[in-house]
Amino acid sequence: PGSRLEESGLAQRFAVSRTPVREALAQLASTGLVEIRPHQGAVVAAMTVQRMMEMFEVMAHLEALCATLAARRATAEERERLIEAHNTCKQLAEEGDPDRYYSQNKLLHELIYAGSHNRFLEENTRAIRNRVSPYRRLQLRHRGRLATSWAEHDAVVTAIMDGDGERAGAAMQAHVTVQADVFADLISALPPAYIQADTG
């Protein structure tokens, strides 16, 4: 957040003209990921604290619904892949590697989205997840968070494997919901560019 996105540099990097870069930036601006500022160009959008809280709240409900449906609808192959991703997360949590854990964590959540067999839900959950991902990633750097995250995953995965949608949804909502003390720690750890002042 706060980083400038220069059209000419992006066009050169991706070996395209400036027109598709401009179109891509406009699309990113329409989703709130980028801000187009007069006389400054495009910058990666920062978030207000209120907006971040609202997005995490919605995210918790969407992911809970994904887990609920996955418990009822995931195929045997999808469940097997979920267990594999979960076991890899455990290993990475034990190794204390937040970056690799984050990548595997993302895969695990993607598998749960896919297991819901609801494309509209999957697309919208992913869109919000992508918007808050820089903030979710920073959470994993808090002391003890990797082990806690894996334990929360374990409750979700176990419920999905048991076919218990209600339990899976509740466990996922608890996992994604940011508790007050954790949220305060997260905000305090953010670089200044990540948060903008509330304007309303």
Side-chain angles (χ1 to χ4, degrees), residues 42-88:
V43 296
V44 178
M47 238 190 274
T48 65
V49 171
Q50 179 180 351
R51 183 70 165 174
M52 189 189 304
M53 289 176 67
E54 290 170 349
M55 294 185 87
F56 271 106
E57 188 174 50
V58 171
M59 190 76 204
H61 285 283
L62 291 178
E63 293 226 22
L65 181 54
C66 287
T68 298
L69 295 177
R72 301 201 315 244
R73 299 176 178 176
T75 65
E77 182 181 348
E78 287 170 335
R79 290 167 189 263
E80 185 177 330
R81 291 182 63 204
L82 183 61
I83 288 292
E84 289 174 5
H86 183 48
N87 289 338
T88 302

Side-chain angles (χ1 to χ4, degrees), residues 32 58 71 86 90 101 103 107 111 121 126-127 137 139 146 158-159 163 167 174 188:
V58 171
H86 183 48
K90 181 179 184 181
Y101 181 91
S103 297
L107 172 62
L111 291 169
L121 174 62
R126 186 181 295 111
R137 186 172 195 148
Q139 280 183 279
L146 291 180
T158 300
R167 200 170 91 235
S188 69

Side-chain angles (χ1 to χ4, degrees), residues 12-194:
Q12 185 176 18
R13 176 177 172 186
F14 295 105
V16 295
S17 71
R18 291 178 68 164
T19 300
V21 171
R22 195 171 296 120
E23 291 172 358
L25 292 173
Q27 287 183 20
L28 290 169
S30 72
T31 66
L33 289 168
V34 164
E35 293 176 9
I36 308 295
R37 298 178 180 173
H39 312 298
Q40 293 182 20
V43 296
V44 178
M47 238 190 274
T48 65
V49 171
Q50 179 180 351
R51 183 70 165 174
M52 189 189 304
M53 289 176 67
E54 290 170 349
M55 294 185 87
F56 271 106
E57 188 174 50
V58 171
M59 190 76 204
H61 285 283
L62 291 178
E63 293 226 22
L65 181 54
C66 287
T68 298
L69 295 177
R72 301 201 315 244
R73 299 176 178 176
T75 65
E77 182 181 348
E78 287 170 335
R79 290 167 189 263
E80 185 177 330
R81 291 182 63 204
L82 183 61
I83 288 292
E84 289 174 5
H86 183 48
N87 289 338
T88 302
C89 278
K90 181 179 184 181
Q91 178 184 341
L92 295 172
E94 289 171 349
E95 292 174 4
D97 188 333
D99 293 326
R100 289 178 61 210
Y101 181 91
Y102 175 79
S103 297
Q104 193 67 24
N105 170 72
K106 183 177 176 182
L107 172 62
L108 183 138
H109 282 262
E110 289 276 353
L111 291 169
I112 293 171
Y113 304 164
S116 74
H117 291 268
N118 182 321
R119 290 289 298 279
F120 183 78
L121 174 62
E122 185 179 350
E123 290 164 3
N124 283 278
T125 304
R126 186 181 295 111
I128 297 178
R129 193 271 320 279
N130 289 343
R131 184 69 179 89
V132 299
S133 61
Y135 307 90
R136 290 182 76 173
R137 186 172 195 148
L138 282 170
Q139 280 183 279
L140 297 175
R141 297 194 175 278
H142 286 274
R143 183 179 300 171
R145 181 58 196 157
L146 291 180
T148 303
S149 174
W150 185 86
E152 292 167 356
H153 283 173
D154 195 50
V156 174
V157 172
T158 300
I160 289 174
M161 299 306 289
D162 290 345
D164 189 334
E166 185 175 340
R167 200 170 91 235
M172 181 62 89
Q173 186 161 348
H175 171 58
V176 178
T177 298
V178 182
Q179 302 301 325
D181 55 342
V182 176
F183 192 79
D185 290 343
L186 173 62
I187 296 301
S188 69
L190 290 174
Y194 274 50

